Amino acid sequence: ASYPATPGPRQAELYAAARDAGAEAIRAGRVAVFTVAGGQGTRLGFDGPKGAYPITPVRNAPLFQLFAEALLGTERRYGHRPRWYIMTSLTNHAETTTFFAQHDFFGLAPDDVMFFQQGQMPAFLPDGRIALAQPHRVALAPDGHGGSLRALADSGALADMRRRGIDIISY
């Protein structure tokens, strides 16, 4: 089945029911927001986490701020603010958490945000050989989106969600 952004005449009821179910899940505190934020802004010509990049043309607001504002808007609309889980990387974890602290978590309570680091895996060369960082040390690289579920589990985020009654993740 195809689910376009705008429902066709036969899908209007289905879409309305899905919106209602989502709104009820948010109101009940069953929804968490999960952001994969391990990247650096190097390709953007920015020295720092991508989420700290000033992305809006008028306010110069960083991406993290836009996400935080969306969560605050969700709370105004539905009466509940989803908890935000942010997966960072070894290279940007400290910068990301410092950035949030410097900006007073963009109006969110620090307890409403959980940071954790993604895992790492061996890096491979284009020909399939394992890359070496040193003659007897395997080079490691972040495991990215593929390691998200393992990182959620290893960090305690899934256990935290379970304790809070969260059973839906908006990724």
Side-chain angles (χ1 to χ4, degrees):
S2 174
Y3 297 101
T6 304
R10 294 188 199 140
Q11 296 170 318
E13 275 186 47
L14 178 66
Y15 278 45
R19 273 191 303 279
D20 291 347
E24 181 50 40
I26 292 169
R27 283 187 194 99
R30 294 177 41 221
V31 178
V33 174
F34 175 42
T35 302
V36 177
Q40 290 292 100
T42 312
R43 285 182 285 181
L44 300 168
F46 178 71
D47 184 27
K50 276 191 262 188
Y53 183 73
I55 195 164
T56 63
V58 176
R59 294 188 302 152
N60 240 8
L63 192 56
F64 287 137
Q65 180 178 341
L66 296 182
F67 289 166
E69 289 171 353
L71 289 172
L72 293 167
T74 297
E75 180 179 30
R76 283 191 302 275
R77 184 171 184 181
Y78 299 107
H80 184 82
R81 181 184 323 143
R83 182 156 165 78
W84 191 6
Y85 297 85
I86 302 173
M87 186 175 77
T88 62
S89 67
L90 183 65
T91 57
N92 79 359
H93 185 81
E95 276 184 282
T96 300
T97 56
T98 298
F99 187 75
F100 269 78
Q102 290 170 339
H103 292 88
D104 295 321
F105 282 73
F106 305 103
L108 300 173
D111 288 345
D112 287 341
V113 182
M114 180 180 176
F115 298 97
F116 60 95
Q117 290 183 41
Q118 67 191 108
Q120 295 204 300
M121 59 185 255
F124 292 88
L125 298 171
D127 65 6
R129 291 181 298 137
I130 295 176
L132 298 177
Q134 296 174 358
H136 22 289
R137 181 169 291 160
V138 173
L140 298 176
D143 61 4
H145 293 272
S148 296
L149 293 176
R150 183 175 33 253
L152 281 164
D154 291 349
S155 68
L158 290 180
D160 182 70
M161 290 177 197
R162 199 172 298 113
R163 278 191 305 276
R164 294 170 185 272
I166 295 169
D167 60 354
I168 299 169
I169 301 172
S170 176
Y171 180 27

